[in-house]
């Protein structure tokens, strides 16, 4: 999976767009970036990137972030019930 494919999938599943930022950086959002030869999944907070996990491939990072955000979406849906 690529970042472009991930973006399409998140939109399809109606994951709120303010939860993630796949191009650049956004405060209080999750993202993916390439740093020091690794793909990093991070949480944007206080003007910086707090790493959650790192991966060798873009696909692994995208799959991790998709699963992470889908679990967050499921928890939010359960709280609304």
């Amino acid at each position: 999976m690529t970042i472009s494919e991930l973006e399409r999938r998140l939109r399809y599943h109606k994951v709120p767009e303010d939860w993630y930022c796949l191009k650049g950086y956004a405060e209080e959002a999750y993202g993916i970036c390439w740093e020091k030869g690794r793909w990093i999944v991070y949480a944007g907070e206080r003007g910086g990137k707090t790493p959650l996990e790192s991966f060798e491939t873009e696909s692994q990072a995208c799959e991790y972030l998709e699963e992470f955000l889908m679990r967050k979406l499921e928890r939010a849906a359960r709280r609304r019930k």
Side-chain angles (χ1 to χ4, degrees):
M1 177 184 325
T2 65
I3 289 173
S4 295
E5 292 168 332
L6 172 61
E7 187 169 24
R8 282 192 297 277
R9 292 170 68 115
L10 295 175
R11 285 187 177 150
Y12 175 81
H13 290 290
K14 297 182 174 42
V15 175
E17 290 186 19
D18 62 343
W19 286 9
Y20 61 92
C21 180
L22 303 177
K23 297 174 183 143
Y25 171 85
E27 193 70 17
E28 302 298 321
Y30 298 95
I32 294 177
C33 65
W34 175 255
E35 286 184 3
K36 300 176 186 171
R38 304 273 301 170
W39 288 95
I40 309 296
V41 176
Y42 66 87
E45 52 191 10
R46 298 186 184 118
K49 297 175 182 174
T50 301
L52 301 177
E53 291 287 341
S54 70
F55 301 92
E56 291 184 12
T57 69
E58 177 182 14
S59 183
Q60 290 171 319
C62 288
E63 289 169 14
Y64 176 86
L65 185 56
E66 180 183 32
E67 290 172 15
F68 180 89
L69 291 171
M70 292 304 294
R71 283 192 309 269
K72 181 177 170 123
L73 187 63
E74 289 168 8
R75 286 191 305 270
R78 280 194 299 261
R79 277 188 232 122
R80 284 192 296 262
K81 290 183 180 181

